[in-house]
Amino acid sequence: MARFPANWSPEAVVFDCDGTLMDTERHWQDARNRTFREFGLLPPPGFAERAKGVHYVDCGRLMAQETNKPELTADLTASLLEHFLFLVAEDPLTMPGASEFVRLCARRLPLAVASNCPLVAVEESLGRAGLRKYFRHIVVPTVPPGEPGAAEPAESPEQENPVRPKPWPDVYATAARLCGVPPRAALAVEDSLTGVESAWRAGLRVLGVGPLPRDDRSGQADAWVTGLDSEEVLQWARSWVSDPDADAGQDPVGRKPL
């Protein structure tokens, strides 16, 4: 936490979903393995780490490239998405401390989600976990027409322009704008280096969550904590609200930030 300015606090918080709010990274890994098996392919060594945080359309393309099966790109992508949606609907679990941290932040600040996941997966997992109501906005990449999971134009009217997936900065820049704050006034909460890079490029301050990666890109985060259940990060968040219990039980959607 030491790298944040001593007197700085966010005016909005933008969360990643997979691996940050929801324990769905294991579902992606399972979905990738099931897809490889479905097509009689072996996962290349180290593929799981390379695929972490990557948009599923790009992941399907990567799966095809690394197994020398470019002709299967569309089929692998469609199968990956189908397996993932089935798994996340069966077993939506929050990451340790995520629910408490979200509810604490929502008492005074506008919250958003910036995810590389399909919109339906984010909505489904957050809804079943009881967290959807705390987020004013959900921003996901625009899926090109014809790709598996492509949304109808009216499905996400807030996103007027095409939004590129992480590590492009678009999802975080759009989320901060929708929350009504400049990027440097917003905090991004991320678990993957792909997401950290996206938020850093968008100009947000970044809180990394989980084991500190051995990669130069980890320096793009302002601070890292082992989890959102750490007392250090909860105490820091409590400092943003003058009376943490004043609004307990109230629906935070639509409330103005301080």
Side-chain angles (χ1 to χ4, degrees):
M1 306 299 298
R3 291 182 56 189
F4 287 103
N7 297 321
W8 185 83
S9 62
E11 296 176 22
V13 184
V14 184
F15 292 84
D16 169 55
C17 188
D18 281 3
T20 300
L21 292 175
M22 304 300 301
D23 187 10
T24 45
E25 184 55 42
R26 62 194 174 90
H27 292 328
W28 279 119
Q29 176 61 20
D30 196 1
R32 290 190 290 265
N33 289 338
R34 291 186 182 198
T35 300
F36 279 127
R37 288 197 300 268
E38 181 181 336
F39 289 86
L41 303 172
L42 292 175
F47 187 84
E49 188 60 31
R50 292 191 296 279
K52 185 176 181 181
V54 174
H55 188 256
Y56 73 94
V57 172
D58 294 328
C59 186
R61 187 178 301 115
L62 189 63
M63 293 169 79
Q65 290 174 349
E66 295 203 10
T67 55
N68 297 312
K69 297 288 184 181
E71 71 278 8
L72 293 180
T73 297
D75 292 335
L76 288 167
T77 302
S79 178
L80 175 64
L81 178 58
E82 181 180 355
H83 284 303
F84 174 76
L85 292 177
F86 173 78
L87 291 165
V88 79
E90 268 199 333
D91 187 22
L93 293 176
T94 58
M95 295 296 291
S99 294
E100 181 181 357
F101 188 72
V102 165
R103 292 186 175 99
L104 184 60
C105 295
R107 290 170 179 162
R108 284 289 184 265
L109 301 175
L111 307 185
V113 169
S115 175
N116 264 357
C117 264
L119 181 62
V120 63
V122 178
E123 294 273 8
E124 171 79 13
S125 58
L126 291 178
R128 293 191 63 181
L131 295 178
R132 175 62 184 91
K133 65 181 180 179
Y134 294 100
F135 296 97
R136 298 186 183 182
H137 311 285
I138 294 178
V139 181
V140 299
T142 305
V143 180
E147 293 280 8
E152 294 296 326
E155 186 172 351
S156 188
E158 293 178 325
Q159 298 177 205
E160 299 173 355
N161 300 312
V163 176
R164 296 168 295 183
K166 306 172 188 177
W168 293 97
D170 300 23
V171 287
Y172 277 106
T174 301
R177 175 179 59 80
L178 291 173
C179 286
V181 303
R184 291 303 287 176
L187 174 69
V189 185
E190 265 287 353
D191 76 305
S192 74
L193 290 173
T194 299
V196 167
E197 181 179 349
S198 172
W200 175 77
R201 290 173 67 183
L204 281 71
R205 298 190 186 276
V206 186
L207 175 65
V209 180
L212 180 65
R214 296 180 179 179
D215 188 294
D216 290 343
R217 288 178 296 168
S218 65
Q220 293 173 340
D222 292 87
W224 283 87
V225 292
T226 55
L228 293 177
D229 57 345
S230 73
E231 189 57 32
E232 181 184 22
V233 76
L234 289 172
Q235 286 182 355
W236 185 51
R238 291 184 190 112
S239 72
W240 308 338
V241 293
S242 57
D243 184 359
D245 298 317
D247 304 305
Q250 295 187 21
D251 186 345
V253 175
R255 294 187 53 217
K256 295 180 179 180
L258 291 179

